[in-house]
Amino acid sequence: MSVKPAIRAFAAAIGVVALVASAPVSANAAALAPASVVRVGVVVPLSVPGGLGGIIDLDTLAAYTAPGGLLTRELEAIIDTPVTIGIDPMIIASIRLLGSSAPESATQWLDRLAAASNDTFALSYADSDLTLGLQAGSGAVLEPTSFDFAIDSGLFAAVDPEATPDPNATADPGTAPPLPTSETLLDWDYTLGDVAWPQPATVTADDLATITASGYTSTVLSSGNVTAVAAGRAHLSVGGESVLVTDDALSAQLSATITATSTEAWQQQTIALSTALGAIPAPRDGDVASVVLGLDRGSFAPGSRLRATLLSLSVPQNLELVGLSDVLRDDAASTTLTDAPQTDVRVSLAKSMLTAEGLDASFATVAEDPALITGERRIRLLSALAPQWNRDPGTWGSEVDGYLADSASLRASVRVAASSDLVFPERGFVPVNIINNLEQPVTVIITVKPLTPLLNVEDANFELTIEPASQRRAQIPAVARSNGLVDLAVSVRSLGDVRVGTTTYFKANVQAGWETPVVSIIGVLVFGVFALGIVRNIRRRLKARRAPVDTVAATEAE
């Protein structure tokens, strides 16, 4: 934030404070004054627009972290304030993945975030829609599985696995950072641990149970997602599970305040918001009243007045801005959840992507390192589930179509090449060409099945390894049984016995020559001669045995 806008924002905030302080205190106002301070927790998402594919590229990061850039504006509005920050891990991982090529503005931004005094927790990766994946059948909260596909070892210093790391060592300026792992890319010292923040009014009872089973200790819900909220209570319990409930009406009022288009409108909105917050009654048990306000994703448009608004809210003596850690220390009042499922259309589209990801994972077993495929597909899926797509109607459908198209292209990257009809001799090899368009080796099992008994394939499971971005021919031994045309069905599967692609059919013209039919005929004739001889020999012996019996019978008759 430049100096002049900061001065103007501060001056405007001071103006609001002056207006509040100079307003006459009426009997009615005094009667409405709460008996105690109202603690106000504000939770803000630190995220970026969708459409980045799950990893922010160098140029985009440079623009976002430059003076006046999106991430710079977001951080300057909330850093070292009582605001609680939900951080998108994609931002952290994207900067770290750039290694020695990371823009200086990006690394400095990350250092400022690490040094901030705010309460922090991790959003889902790419700020993906938590409950959309669950309601589409994911079974658990979707998370990244591997970043190996995106780690360029040339941007990092080699790490000696036998060396003992020095926790007090500092990197020399200009040197490459150590080679990261998928785990260290996401490592961050969050102050609140595992807190889930689904999209407002999208959670069902099953979702909440699965979120808890996935390791989250508390979930931020909107007030429209619960049946009732006790006055002055923000920390609640749903079936024994900890939840923080944001006030929908006051959150909307905060959003309207920070996006006010004129100073006069902002001053009026700020006074109205302060008054509404100050009127929250204390709980009946005598505890201090607490309320949580949540900002929507994408609230940091240019000209946002968030920091000035926070400054103005921190001045009234009956309001205290606090982090969520303070609210979580309150005893949790009991409430019940109101199921708020996603629309059928959104769930159906999400299901189609989850199905495609499952097919991609099965296909990946053909590759030397399946994680290079599955890791990329999961990151892309999380990006496609980001709620930021909702800002521009129609764009999410295009993103889903793109994801499904890329999935189909991936599974077609290893396939049997088209082949012309074969002319096959009496003994030889059936040639099968396999194409590998992946950037890593693949190993397949090839099965050739004749659909008629004119050909006998001697190796029913022929193993073949194909190098990256190449084509290789398998020579599968076979023997002809007779002349004629035979249809061959060629199928390919991975070493994990997963079908790769579809079955390919082609014809083979088996030309065994004259030897096979002639030998067959001679064999039949020889067999016939031997059979005829055996029959005649048997008849001769039977006739010889009958002769003495016939002579005795004739004598007795005389």
Side-chain angles (χ1 to χ4, degrees), residues 250-413:
L250 291 174
S251 296
Q253 197 167 348
L254 173 62
S255 295
T257 302
I258 69 173
T259 56
T261 55
S262 68
T263 300
E264 182 180 0
W266 174 76
Q267 289 175 338
Q268 293 174 351
Q269 291 275 12
T270 302
I271 294 173
L273 178 60
S274 299
T275 303
L277 290 171
I280 295 175
R284 293 180 180 179
D285 57 12
D287 285 349
V288 176
S290 295
V291 62
V292 174
L293 310 183
L295 281 185
D296 291 336
R297 275 72 166 175
S299 296
F300 289 94
S304 169
R305 301 172 186 264
L306 177 58
R307 194 170 188 91
T309 301
L310 295 173
L311 175 61
S312 69
L313 293 179
S314 65
V315 174
Q317 294 183 355
N318 63 337
L319 298 180
E320 180 188 6
L321 291 181
V322 298
L324 292 188
S325 57
D326 290 329
V327 180
L328 284 168
R329 280 192 283 270
D330 292 343
D331 292 336
S334 179
T335 188
T336 55
L337 191 76
T338 300
D339 278 353
Q342 304 261 2
T343 66
D344 291 342
V345 172
R346 288 181 59 77
V347 172
S348 178
L349 290 174
K351 279 183 179 179
S352 67
M353 290 192 290
L354 283 174
T355 299
E357 189 203 25
L359 294 173
D360 295 343
S362 295
F363 166 81
T365 60
V366 77
E368 182 178 70
D369 187 354
L372 295 179
I373 297 174
T374 57
E376 187 277 335
R377 297 308 292 161
R378 172 56 62 84
I379 294 296
R380 175 75 186 281
L381 174 64
L382 292 170
S383 176
L385 292 175
Q388 284 83 353
W389 290 104
N390 299 335
R391 300 181 198 171
D392 301 313
T395 58
W396 189 55
S398 298
E399 174 66 7
V400 173
D401 290 343
Y403 182 88
L404 298 178
D406 290 346
S407 177
S409 296
L410 169 68
R411 297 195 301 273
S413 59

Side-chain angles (χ1 to χ4, degrees), residues 59 62 67 74 94 96 103 125 148 158 202 248 316 319 338 347 406 408 487:
D59 292 339
E74 291 183 358
S94 297
R96 288 174 170 172
Y125 190 88
D148 290 350
T202 63
D248 288 348
L319 298 180
T338 300
V347 172
D406 290 346
D487 291 319

Side-chain angles (χ1 to χ4, degrees), residues 109-476:
W109 182 93
L110 199 60
D111 290 340
R112 288 186 66 196
L113 178 62
S117 60
N118 304 66
D119 278 353
T120 57
F121 67 93
L123 299 175
S124 56
Y125 190 88
D127 194 21
S128 60
D129 194 327
L130 283 175
T131 60
L132 183 56
L134 294 177
Q135 292 173 29
S138 64
V141 174
L142 294 172
E143 298 177 341
T145 57
S146 174
F147 287 93
D148 290 350
F149 71 96
I151 297 175
D152 182 353
S153 59
L155 300 177
F156 301 93
V159 177
D160 184 358
E162 298 181 357
T164 302
D166 182 2
N168 299 317
T170 57
D172 295 330
T175 61
L179 185 69
T181 65
S182 296
E183 291 74 23
T184 59
L185 283 170
L186 296 175
D187 280 347
W188 194 259
D189 188 16
Y190 297 105
T191 65
L192 293 181
D194 296 318
V195 174
W197 189 9
Q199 291 299 294
T202 63
V203 182
T204 67
D206 288 342
D207 296 336
L208 188 59
T210 306
I211 289 171
T212 301
S214 296
Y216 290 91
T217 56
S218 191
T219 303
V220 179
L221 300 176
S222 62
S223 57
N225 218 159
V226 294
T227 56
V229 178
R233 289 290 192 185
H235 184 206
L236 303 174
S237 173
V238 175
E241 297 174 7
S242 171
V243 298
L244 287 163
V245 177
T246 61
D247 188 298
D248 288 348
L250 291 174
S251 296
Q253 197 167 348
L254 173 62
S255 295
T257 302
I258 69 173
T259 56
T261 55
S262 68
T263 300
E264 182 180 0
W266 174 76
Q267 289 175 338
Q268 293 174 351
Q269 291 275 12
T270 302
I271 294 173
L273 178 60
S274 299
T275 303
L277 290 171
I280 295 175
R284 293 180 180 179
D285 57 12
D287 285 349
V288 176
S290 295
V291 62
V292 174
L293 310 183
L295 281 185
D296 291 336
R297 275 72 166 175
S299 296
F300 289 94
S304 169
R305 301 172 186 264
L306 177 58
R307 194 170 188 91
T309 301
L310 295 173
L311 175 61
S312 69
L313 293 179
S314 65
V315 174
Q317 294 183 355
N318 63 337
L319 298 180
E320 180 188 6
L321 291 181
V322 298
L324 292 188
S325 57
D326 290 329
V327 180
L328 284 168
R329 280 192 283 270
D330 292 343
D331 292 336
S334 179
T335 188
T336 55
L337 191 76
T338 300
D339 278 353
Q342 304 261 2
T343 66
D344 291 342
V345 172
R346 288 181 59 77
V347 172
S348 178
L349 290 174
K351 279 183 179 179
S352 67
M353 290 192 290
L354 283 174
T355 299
E357 189 203 25
L359 294 173
D360 295 343
S362 295
F363 166 81
T365 60
V366 77
E368 182 178 70
D369 187 354
L372 295 179
I373 297 174
T374 57
E376 187 277 335
R377 297 308 292 161
R378 172 56 62 84
I379 294 296
R380 175 75 186 281
L381 174 64
L382 292 170
S383 176
L385 292 175
Q388 284 83 353
W389 290 104
N390 299 335
R391 300 181 198 171
D392 301 313
T395 58
W396 189 55
S398 298
E399 174 66 7
V400 173
D401 290 343
Y403 182 88
L404 298 178
D406 290 346
S407 177
S409 296
L410 169 68
R411 297 195 301 273
S413 59
V414 177
R415 63 187 185 276
V416 178
S419 176
S420 58
D421 293 345
L422 303 175
V423 177
F424 195 85
E426 179 182 0
R427 177 178 290 275
F429 299 91
V430 177
V432 177
N433 295 319
I434 303 297
I435 296 173
N436 174 24
N437 287 333
L438 296 177
E439 296 180 356
Q440 60 171 313
V442 301
T443 300
V444 298
I445 303 296
I446 305 170
T447 299
V448 178
K449 181 179 180 180
L451 301 185
T452 54
L454 300 180
L455 191 67
N456 179 42
V457 176
E458 296 182 333
D459 193 340
N461 297 291
F462 191 92
E463 183 174 320
L464 184 70
T465 298
I466 309 99
E467 293 304 310
S470 65
Q471 177 174 318
R472 188 178 177 190
R473 171 173 292 186
Q475 299 282 17
I476 303 174

